[in-house]
Amino acid sequence: MKKSISIVFLIFLMLFTAVLGGFFALTWANALPVKEKTVAEPLKSPQSENSVNEVSVVDIGKNLSKSVVGISNLKGITATSPNNSQGETGIGSGVILDSRGYIVTNFHVISGGEQIMVTLSDGNVKEAKIIGTDQRTDLALLKIEGENYEAAVLGNSDDLSVGETAIAIGNPGGLDFAGSVTMGIISGLNRPLITEEGLRFKLIQTDAAINPGNSGGALANDKGEVVAINTIKISETGFEGMGFAIPSNLVSEIVTELMDTGKVTRAALGVYLTASVNPEFNAINNVGVDHGVLISPQEGGPGALGGLEENDVITAVDGNKIHDIYELQDVIFSHEVGDVIKITVMRNGDSRSLSVTLGELKDS
């Protein structure tokens, strides 16, 4: 009997302990902070990512298009023969850079015209005055009467990176397609453009569609800032999506000078740049140095007056080594007219130093 009671008591004790333990365990669990269940966000599809970009491009197109104008280059009407038919010798785009009506466009858009007409984004047409031009960089500054125009914001073209968004706005094919917006990327930076005079300027390359009529229009970044002015595209068979634009920092520099003086002044050394010197050139011609620029001074020019002679090789300017023609051009253009520079030359196997006062580069 005692044994039976002990077994019953033991079973009762085990059940009581289990219930009591469960109660405390449940109470303890409820006292702990509850961690919310996290659900992984679905990956964004390419379509949803494009939708985000489209919203940005829509806003940029809507806002920046107010600052992009159509440029018509007219020729043929004169005061003595007003009944003559009016011919359109060029058509392109322009960008309002100042609320007072200053507009930048390409030189080739307005070249040779007798009357320049500007069509604003709201359809109003105004005659423009040419403030100044710079054929070497293919830029021109115009002005229309009035004020409080919607001016674009120039960005810093030195901050651009290959692969970032590029948005072109202009009038491809004429005013019937005014305000066209195309999108691509920045395909390359510092692309060299060699002018007919042999001068080099560096452009921005893009695959955003640039067609005839886009010249002078805006190339913007994803902030809506104008980072370049469209100027040219390669349209030869076999090439696709290779357009070029003038960097905004160069545009700002040229436009500021045109606004202030009506022209662009560049320093000149007054020499013909015959050839870039490298080890191969030296091996053949034995000029005594493996770098520099072989020159021929212009008669009566700054270089000749400073002592430069035929077949001198300029090897350094102000102590900085010169490697080729374009590097020498860049150094000279970085100076002002009237600056005195120290030039190191190799002449008949001997190195010597000369001081030259820079003159002004004249139009060809």
Side-chain angles (χ1 to χ4, degrees), residues 17-27:
T17 303
V19 171
L20 188 63
F23 172 79
F24 280 114
L26 182 60
T27 304

Side-chain angles (χ1 to χ4, degrees), residues 293-325:
V293 178
L294 183 70
I295 60 96
S296 173
Q298 299 171 359
E299 185 177 354
L305 295 175
L308 290 174
E309 296 182 3
E310 190 78 16
N311 295 326
D312 277 351
V313 176
I314 296 177
T315 59
V317 175
D318 293 330
N320 298 311
K321 186 181 290 188
I322 298 297
H323 296 90
D324 58 34
I325 287 174

Side-chain angles (χ1 to χ4, degrees), residues 346-363:
M346 181 65 70
R347 181 184 299 167
N348 300 323
D350 295 325
S351 179
R352 61 189 67 197
S353 181
L354 302 169
S355 292
V356 177
T357 300
L358 296 175
E360 181 179 344
L361 185 64
K362 303 297 183 181
D363 291 333

Side-chain angles (χ1 to χ4, degrees), residues 251-317:
V251 172
S252 178
E253 177 185 326
I254 299 299
V255 164
T256 299
E257 195 163 354
L258 291 176
M259 196 178 294
D260 290 343
T261 67
K263 67 174 186 175
V264 175
T265 302
R266 293 187 175 87
L269 184 57
V271 298
Y272 298 106
L273 307 179
T274 306
S276 296
V277 174
N278 54 33
E280 292 75 18
F281 185 94
N282 182 46
I284 296 172
N285 298 281
N286 193 29
V287 294
V289 68
D290 62 2
H291 68 277
V293 178
L294 183 70
I295 60 96
S296 173
Q298 299 171 359
E299 185 177 354
L305 295 175
L308 290 174
E309 296 182 3
E310 190 78 16
N311 295 326
D312 277 351
V313 176
I314 296 177
T315 59
V317 175

Side-chain angles (χ1 to χ4, degrees), residues 45-58:
S45 67
Q47 182 176 0
S48 63
E49 189 68 33
N50 287 339
S51 298
V52 174
N53 289 336
E54 284 178 9
V55 171
S56 176
V57 173
V58 167

Side-chain angles (χ1 to χ4, degrees), residues 88-254:
E88 196 169 59
T89 62
I91 190 165
S93 306
V95 179
I96 301 173
L97 293 182
D98 187 287
S99 62
R100 295 170 295 174
Y102 285 97
I103 297 168
V104 66
T105 186
N106 287 146
F107 171 82
H108 75 259
V109 170
I110 57 95
S111 178
E114 296 175 357
Q115 189 178 33
I116 308 300
M117 304 302 295
V118 170
T119 303
L120 301 172
S121 62
D122 61 6
N124 286 327
V125 179
K126 293 181 176 287
E127 184 171 359
K129 176 184 178 182
I130 299 175
I131 300 300
T133 64
D134 184 45
Q135 184 174 356
R136 292 185 173 97
T137 55
D138 195 26
L139 290 172
L141 182 65
L142 311 177
K143 189 178 187 308
I144 55 177
E145 291 297 324
E147 56 185 18
N148 297 324
Y149 292 105
E150 193 82 28
V153 175
L154 284 181
N156 185 353
S157 53
D158 288 344
D159 288 343
L160 289 174
S161 299
V162 173
E164 69 176 89
T165 300
I167 301 163
I169 302 179
N171 309 304
L175 297 177
D176 289 341
F177 301 97
S180 292
V181 179
T182 57
M183 185 175 71
I185 62 170
I186 300 296
S187 305
L189 302 170
N190 298 319
R191 299 306 198 202
L193 171 70
I194 310 301
T195 69
E196 294 178 356
E197 303 168 279
L199 303 178
R200 180 183 69 171
F201 295 97
K202 296 176 181 178
L203 303 181
I204 293 169
Q205 180 186 341
T206 181
D207 67 349
I210 297 175
N211 296 293
N214 269 119
S215 293
L219 188 70
N221 60 15
D222 57 7
K223 299 176 184 177
E225 300 168 334
V226 176
V227 292
I229 297 297
N230 300 319
T231 184
I232 193 173
K233 71 169 290 185
I234 295 179
S235 55
E236 298 178 15
T237 303
F239 287 87
E240 185 69 30
M242 290 188 68
F244 297 89
I246 305 163
S248 57
N249 287 2
L250 177 59
V251 172
S252 178
E253 177 185 326
I254 299 299

